[in-house]
Amino acid sequence: MAVSPYDKERLHTRYSLDVRAKLSLEGREITVRTLDVSEGGLGLVSPVEIAEGSSYSVEFVFPTMQAVFCARVQAQSKSGFRYGFTFVEVDESNMALLRKYQRRWGIAAKEYMATEN
């Protein structure tokens, strides 16, 4: 289920997430691709450079869910075109969507592992 060898050092478990997302800041929009998500933030790939420390609104839809997830994020790290963002503001309804996705992902991963053994 882990997507990183550093999961034991992290505050929150990361879950794979490959969807298109939109970063917005003062009328400027960037279409990006997510890599993973946790209760602390998300990883993504951007076609344009994003300044470390910059804040954006992010919007995307989790697979198999209809509701749009919205949050405020801040760029924390960069490696090539890959960026790490932390959540700086997530309301309770959006956090509930995230937790629902994590539960579904965890159940699917367990079922997959059971069929592999």
Side-chain angles (χ1 to χ4, degrees), residues 34-79:
T34 63
L35 298 169
D36 55 49
V37 66
S38 74
E39 288 190 34
L42 72 153
L44 56 82
V45 176
S46 173
V48 299
E49 183 133 357
I50 296 173
E52 216 170 294
S54 57
S55 294
Y56 292 86
S57 293
V58 64
E59 293 181 6
F60 59 86
V61 177
F62 286 108
T64 72
M65 294 186 196
Q66 302 299 324
V68 176
F69 176 87
C70 302
R72 293 282 308 157
V73 294
Q74 184 174 34
Q76 293 297 315
S77 63
K78 176 186 177 205
S79 178

Side-chain angles (χ1 to χ4, degrees), residues 15-35:
Y15 295 85
S16 293
L17 178 65
D18 182 14
V19 297
R20 202 175 312 205
K22 179 176 67 175
L23 291 178
S24 303
L25 175 66
E26 299 171 355
R28 179 180 176 216
E29 291 185 358
I30 305 169
T31 301
V32 297
R33 196 79 187 176
T34 63
L35 298 169

Side-chain angles (χ1 to χ4, degrees), residues 3 6 14 22-23 25-27 37 41 47 51 56 60 63 65 74 78 83 88 91 93 102 104 110 113-115:
V3 295
Y6 304 104
R14 291 182 177 190
K22 179 176 67 175
L23 291 178
L25 175 66
E26 299 171 355
V37 66
Y56 292 86
F60 59 86
M65 294 186 196
Q74 184 174 34
K78 176 186 177 205
Y83 293 87
V88 292
D91 68 26
S93 63
Q102 290 174 323
R104 286 183 180 179
K110 286 178 187 174
M113 295 303 286
T115 61

Side-chain angles (χ1 to χ4, degrees), residues 7 15 59 64 84-85 92 98 112:
D7 264 359
Y15 295 85
E59 293 181 6
T64 72
F85 284 82
E92 203 48 49
L98 172 59
Y112 175 77

Side-chain angles (χ1 to χ4, degrees), residues 86-101:
T86 57
F87 291 129
V88 292
E89 186 180 323
V90 184
D91 68 26
E92 203 48 49
S93 63
N94 283 293
M95 189 56 76
L97 279 175
L98 172 59
R99 289 178 179 139
K100 184 176 182 179
Y101 173 74

